[in-house]
Amino acid sequence: MTDTQQRYPFPALEHLPDDIRDTILAVQEKSGFVPNVFLQLARRPAEWRAFFAYHDALMLREDSSLSKAEREMIITVISAQNQCLYCVMAHGALLRIFKRDPLIADQVAINYRSAALSPRERAMLDFATRVNEASHTISDTDFEHLRAHGFDDEDIWDIASITGLFGLSNRIVAFTGMEPNPEFYLMGRQPRKKPAEA
């Protein structure tokens, strides 16, 4: 086994509980493929449900002032810090799509401090980085700095929680040896082709 070889085989779709199988098939219908993380976590159905319930509560929350692009930016940056290729490629692809910028994911994954970001985005990522790498050093000064950039306490909770959830995800991906789906590499880099007219 190489260091990057998948260590846990994916379960067969037909052996999964109905709710998980139906969700995976719906994702496949929408995106054209099944992201490997859906299959990898499905080997433990209770954990799959818990992970995606928390994921959806954070990432699909409609009353958050964080944009979809900002949420994906957090994940891309902390996944790069944690050296998680799967999450950088998967969430970098979503970042490119939501931001409508084919360059942004690569820039923030390599060094967000040199990317063309707004002061708000930079403050958000500075905080996410602190939570990811040294959460025990968070102080009231960090909160004051974020508030000066328009974040309220609920936004700060979102930034920290997204960072925490994907820190967990990064570590599961690492020990399982999960690789990114090839489709992630090109998503959002080129304009989508329109279907041929009949």
Side-chain angles (χ1 to χ4, degrees), residues 24-46:
I24 289 173
L25 291 174
V27 168
Q28 183 178 38
E29 177 70 24
K30 183 176 180 180
S31 64
F33 68 100
V34 178
N36 288 338
V37 69
F38 282 85
L39 294 171
Q40 186 71 89
L41 294 181
R43 70 187 307 275
R44 291 190 168 192

Side-chain angles (χ1 to χ4, degrees), residues 4-100:
T4 58
Q5 188 174 353
Q6 183 176 311
R7 296 179 177 91
Y8 293 85
F10 294 151
L13 270 175
E14 61 268 22
H15 298 149
L16 295 178
D18 290 347
D19 61 318
I20 294 176
R21 185 175 59 252
D22 290 348
T23 299
I24 289 173
L25 291 174
V27 168
Q28 183 178 38
E29 177 70 24
K30 183 176 180 180
S31 64
F33 68 100
V34 178
N36 288 338
V37 69
F38 282 85
L39 294 171
Q40 186 71 89
L41 294 181
R43 70 187 307 275
R44 291 190 168 192
E47 292 174 32
W48 188 99
R49 293 184 187 103
F51 179 87
F52 284 106
Y54 194 24
H55 172 280
D56 291 352
L58 289 172
M59 301 302 290
L60 303 180
R61 218 181 116 216
E62 294 183 0
D63 60 344
S64 173
S65 76
L66 298 184
S67 69
K68 290 180 180 179
E70 287 172 330
R71 293 177 230 195
E72 297 298 341
M73 195 177 292
I74 293 166
I75 300 165
T76 303
V77 166
I78 67 108
S79 296
Q81 291 168 348
N82 294 332
Q83 300 183 47
C84 180
L85 178 62
Y86 181 92
C87 292
V88 169
M89 297 314 302
H91 292 279
L94 294 171
L95 173 57
R96 288 190 295 271
I97 291 167
F98 292 141
K99 193 82 166 164
R100 295 192 171 109

Side-chain angles (χ1 to χ4, degrees), residues 80-147:
Q81 291 168 348
N82 294 332
Q83 300 183 47
C84 180
L85 178 62
Y86 181 92
C87 292
V88 169
M89 297 314 302
H91 292 279
L94 294 171
L95 173 57
R96 288 190 295 271
I97 291 167
F98 292 141
K99 193 82 166 164
R100 295 192 171 109
D101 181 347
L103 307 178
I104 188 65
D106 297 332
Q107 292 171 350
V108 299
I110 296 299
N111 183 2
Y112 76 88
R113 293 175 181 89
S114 66
L117 301 177
S118 69
R120 171 187 164 93
E121 291 167 335
R122 196 172 309 282
M124 174 186 75
L125 296 176
D126 285 343
F127 182 71
T129 296
R130 177 79 67 84
V131 171
N132 187 49
E133 296 182 336
S135 60
H136 62 284
T137 68
I138 299 294
S139 70
D140 289 346
T141 303
D142 296 293
F143 278 69
E144 291 164 11
H145 183 66
L146 286 168
R147 290 182 190 122

